[in-house]
Amino acid sequence: FWLKPFRHEQLIRHPTLLLWPVPRGTYRLPSFAMQQQERGCLPCTNCFVTVPQDKYFAVENFGKFSHILSPGLSFAGPDCCGCCISFRSITSRVEQNDVNVQTKTKDNVFVTARVAVQQSVRPANVEDAMYRLANVHAQIDSYVSDVVRSSVPHMTLDEAFEKKDDISQAVQSKLEAEMGAYGFQIHKALVTELVPNNDVVQSMNEI
């Protein structure tokens, strides 16, 4: 079903999913949560579990974090109908966030910056990555939007195109400093494209 949008926010809608609110001018593709609940490999018990190579599994005893399991078949402990032991997983793959941020340059041209952020969970900080952030993607989007909107307005349109690498470096430095505390490693942050509004593009094509 559809809901009316908030006054200062837009809701990204999906035919079957209602995703989180995002700031106006920031758009991103739908994405599923990085972590999820898992079950053991035997019916009616979580004593044994098979851990895929591309995931980290956390063992929880009565809801409290216990330890991280390595890939393969593992014995988690005695359990009755999943009441004693539960599992939570998070991917170990490098994921990419594609963020579109709308802002204005110093010479009053509206542009959309397209930023690609590649991140993964640090093996030594899996517990932080699982339990400290509710929505990793939304957090990264917020930091990217903050850096882009504080950098581009100090540049003209030509300077913004010339200094895409500087903007990328500023975004990556911000994300490395902030997301490291939550157990995430930032591999790369790239400004892949700067797109002026249609009026400016048409004027440039007519020259």
Side-chain angles (χ1 to χ4, degrees):
F1 61 95
W2 302 92
L3 294 179
K4 294 181 180 180
F6 293 104
R7 179 177 299 178
H8 298 296
E9 294 178 324
Q10 292 178 330
L11 286 174
I12 293 180
R13 297 177 179 84
H14 187 271
T16 58
L17 294 176
L18 182 63
L19 300 182
W20 57 89
V22 294
R24 184 178 298 276
T26 304
Y27 312 93
R28 67 185 313 278
L29 296 176
S31 176
F32 296 99
M34 291 183 64
Q35 59 172 290
Q36 57 187 11
Q37 296 290 331
E38 303 284 356
R39 293 195 59 82
C41 56
L42 297 177
C44 300
T45 181
N46 285 337
C47 293
F48 290 91
V49 65
T50 301
V51 181
Q53 184 67 42
D54 63 346
K55 286 187 177 182
Y56 299 111
F57 268 47
V59 179
E60 298 174 342
N61 292 329
F62 298 100
K64 182 180 179 180
F65 171 78
S66 175
H67 60 281
I68 300 295
L69 296 176
S70 57
L73 180 64
S74 297
F75 175 71
D79 176 67
C80 180
C81 299
C83 298
C84 306
I85 294 177
S86 57
F87 305 108
R88 190 186 300 261
S89 72
I90 192 169
T91 181
S92 61
R93 295 175 181 241
V94 176
E95 292 198 332
Q96 177 165 306
N97 274 14
D98 295 311
V99 187
N100 291 350
V101 184
Q102 190 178 67
T103 186
K104 187 172 69 171
T105 63
K106 189 176 181 179
D107 46 356
N108 295 320
V109 177
F110 283 94
V111 296
T112 300
R114 296 175 179 172
V115 184
V117 180
Q118 298 169 351
Q119 84 278 350
S120 65
V121 176
R122 288 178 175 172
N125 302 102
V126 177
E127 182 181 357
D128 291 335
M130 281 191 178
Y131 295 101
R132 295 198 62 188
L133 277 182
N135 193 318
V136 177
H137 300 295
Q139 190 76 19
I140 289 176
D141 289 356
S142 298
Y143 287 133
V144 171
S145 300
D146 178 62
V147 174
V148 171
R149 290 186 175 131
S150 62
S151 301
V152 174
H154 298 286
M155 306 175 184
T156 64
L157 181 61
D158 290 339
E159 290 173 343
F161 278 102
E162 293 172 0
K163 297 180 179 181
K164 281 202 304 181
D165 290 343
D166 294 343
I167 301 172
S168 298
Q169 185 59 49
V171 171
Q172 184 165 345
S173 297
K174 176 72 171 180
L175 289 175
E176 286 175 347
E178 300 293 342
M179 296 304 295
Y182 300 109
F184 286 89
Q185 177 182 358
I186 305 300
H187 297 274
K188 205 68 178 176
L190 299 171
V191 178
T192 58
E193 195 172 5
L194 284 173
V195 183
N197 62 18
N198 292 331
D199 294 338
V200 175
V201 173
Q202 291 177 1
S203 299
M204 294 173 66
N205 291 335
E206 292 173 358
I207 297 176

